[in-house]
Amino acid sequence: MTKYVIKGGRPLQGEITVSGAKNAAVAIIPAALMIDGVCRIENIPQISDVTMLLKILEQMGAKIRTVNKHTVDIDCTGVVTHEATFDTMRRIRASYYLIGALLGRFGKASVAMPGGCNFGGARPIDQHIKGFTAMGAAMDVRNGIVFAETPGRVQGASIYFDINSVGATINIMLAATLAEGRTVIENAAREPHVVDLANFLNSMGADIRGAGTDVIKIKGVKKLTGGFYSIIPDQIEAGTYMAAVAGTGGEVLIKNVIPKHLDCISGKLREMGVEVEDMADAVVVRRRGPLLKTTIKTLPYPGFPTDMQPQISTVLCLADGTSVVTDSVFESRFKYVDELAKMGAQIQVSGRTAIIEGIDRLTGAPVKAGDLRAGAALVIAGLCAGGTTEIEGVNYLERGYEDLVLKLRALGADITEVFVPDDPIVAEREAV
Ligand code: EPZ
């Protein structure tokens, strides 16, 4: 096990390149299961969620060839099983996309219930089940496994989601791609990674229209051929570095972004007194003056992303005045606040809302990440704080941030990853 050790209080200066989008990659890799041939995926991020999903596909009989650090060839023609019940499935949330992909290809699926970040509150899949049921699948959940089966091919259907769900939109899109007939998804999620999956599938022979709007129409096709596709840059990784320099001060060029995807983040940072300059495929973020308070409410895209809520709340700890942050997407995504309090943060949480009193300085402390974006928030806090911060839970960060230490060191941060020997007391207790 390792931890990050950060000596904070230094402004970030320099440039970094954003990697491929995690939440696009974890949808596109399962989609490869439906392709009759080899697909080459470029700009794939080197993160543990991707490694885990590629391993799951290999366990199912897929052939995976690493072309280079960010390019893989996936050939699922040899996959004959509709079952994915390995333990590895429980370690990531996106494993449930295998239900849609296997239903589309085989008309049936047995898939272990997902794991992934448990930042508090339920993460149900009732909308996924509603969609698959509408498409003719008999659904059941037993012993932590989701069973889905149709008499033949899955059928196209009209589905209206009760709530805006990225996962359900993606899962139904996957199954509908090879369904018999047409599917219409209403109240669909509009996130960039939903659009990226649709573009990937269409490049392989699918017929999907309207991705990026709240109505997506899919005409089922008989088969998908191979091809190649490059994943979009990660909106949340870019936003995380934007928040980091907003907190520490300094100036950073963030390359390989789609500025349009960052509008919701850039707009809020500008309200906070941060300068954000859009370029063709990059943004420059600089902060010299004081941070200003603001009010933030997370919303589905194109609103302010919930995946940026912990990071921006951390920066607001250093703003002049009182800020209010409401997460309207997840019912309780503020577990990280207890860790920030160890660093002197003044945050009061009530339900979906955090009231943040700005202070002059955070102070370094030993803290623990409980999920991916909470970990990102604690790294930002450590970069801003006076003194040394030690962060446990590095495994969460590695799920979604490629080369985090390398990229931050390139910006002048004093951050190192150090090995943590097993705690002798715990080891002794386990030995008994
Ligand atoms: C995806 O999770 C992302 N994960 C999350 O990113 C992100 O926070 C979330 O979308 C919202 O943008 C991946 O893409 C792998 P939802 P997902 O279904 O699909 C409720 C990260 O940090 N809901 O859009 O699970 C749900 O409880 C991760 O990268 C139901 O009630 O999110 C939540 O309140 C964390 N029933 C809301 O909808 C359902 O069937 C939005 O969830 C499905 C969802």
Side-chain angles (χ1 to χ4, degrees), residues 22-24 26-27 49 93-97 117 119 121-130 161 163-170 189 191 193 234 236 299-301 305-307 328-331 333 352 371-373 399-401:
K22 164 179 97 78
N23 290 343
V26 298
D49 271 15
R93 176 137 192 96
S95 54
Y96 61 16
Y97 293 146
C117 284
F119 30 69
R123 294 185 74 181
I125 61 166
D126 57 296
Q127 298 299 302
H128 303 238
I129 290 175
K130 169 180 178 173
F161 283 133
I163 52 162
N164 195 286
S165 162
V166 167
T169 301
I170 286 176
E191 271 67 9
H193 32 288
D234 194 313
I236 304 302
L299 285 167
Y301 190 84
T306 176
D307 291 347
S328 70
V329 176
F330 286 105
E331 61 189 7
R333 194 175 188 172
R352 289 176 179 257
D371 65 76
L372 168 58
R373 306 304 175 186
R399 293 189 48 204
Y401 291 97

Side-chain angles (χ1 to χ4, degrees), residues 1 14 20 23 29 45 57 93 123 128 143 152 278 288 361 384 402 425:
M1 191 168 79
N23 290 343
I29 292 169
L57 256 56
R93 176 137 192 96
R123 294 185 74 181
H128 303 238
N143 311 323
D278 286 357
R288 295 200 185 92
R361 192 125 173 121
C384 299
E402 176 180 330
I425 298 171

Side-chain angles (χ1 to χ4, degrees), residues 61-244:
K63 287 196 180 53
I64 313 279
R65 189 169 80 86
T66 302
V67 177
N68 61 45
K69 183 177 179 184
H70 295 119
T71 306
V72 288
D73 285 346
I74 303 178
D75 180 356
C76 293
T77 40
V79 174
V80 293
T81 178
H82 68 279
E83 295 187 346
T85 55
F86 325 101
D87 285 348
T88 37
M89 295 285 289
R90 290 178 171 75
R91 293 173 53 185
I92 55 175
R93 176 137 192 96
S95 54
Y96 61 16
Y97 293 146
L98 293 175
I99 306 171
L102 292 169
L103 257 184
R105 176 165 173 179
F106 296 115
K108 55 184 172 181
S110 304
V111 173
M113 281 289 278
C117 284
N118 171 17
F119 30 69
R123 294 185 74 181
I125 61 166
D126 57 296
Q127 298 299 302
H128 303 238
I129 290 175
K130 169 180 178 173
F132 292 136
T133 306
M135 299 175 82
M139 303 297 297
D140 191 12
V141 180
R142 294 190 310 273
N143 311 323
I145 308 277
V146 178
F147 295 93
E149 186 152 4
T150 62
R153 279 175 70 191
V154 69
Q155 300 298 305
S158 286
I159 296 151
Y160 184 92
F161 283 133
D162 305 326
I163 52 162
N164 195 286
S165 162
V166 167
T169 301
I170 286 176
N171 232 340
I172 297 313
M173 188 195 288
L174 289 167
T177 295
L178 293 179
E180 201 146 28
R182 291 166 59 85
T183 297
V184 178
I185 303 173
E186 293 188 85
N187 194 17
R190 301 161 56 185
E191 271 67 9
H193 32 288
V194 172
V195 178
D196 210 32
L197 173 66
N199 292 339
F200 167 77
L201 289 167
N202 284 337
S203 74
M204 303 287 153
D207 184 346
I208 302 170
R209 299 159 204 274
T213 75
D214 58 359
V215 180
I216 302 178
K217 294 178 178 166
I218 303 139
K219 209 160 129 222
V221 295
K222 287 242 180 305
K223 67 184 276 190
L224 296 176
T225 56
F228 75 90
Y229 190 77
S230 185
I231 290 176
I232 54 169
D234 194 313
Q235 168 206 34
I236 304 302
E237 184 194 11
T240 301
Y241 285 100
M242 294 168 78

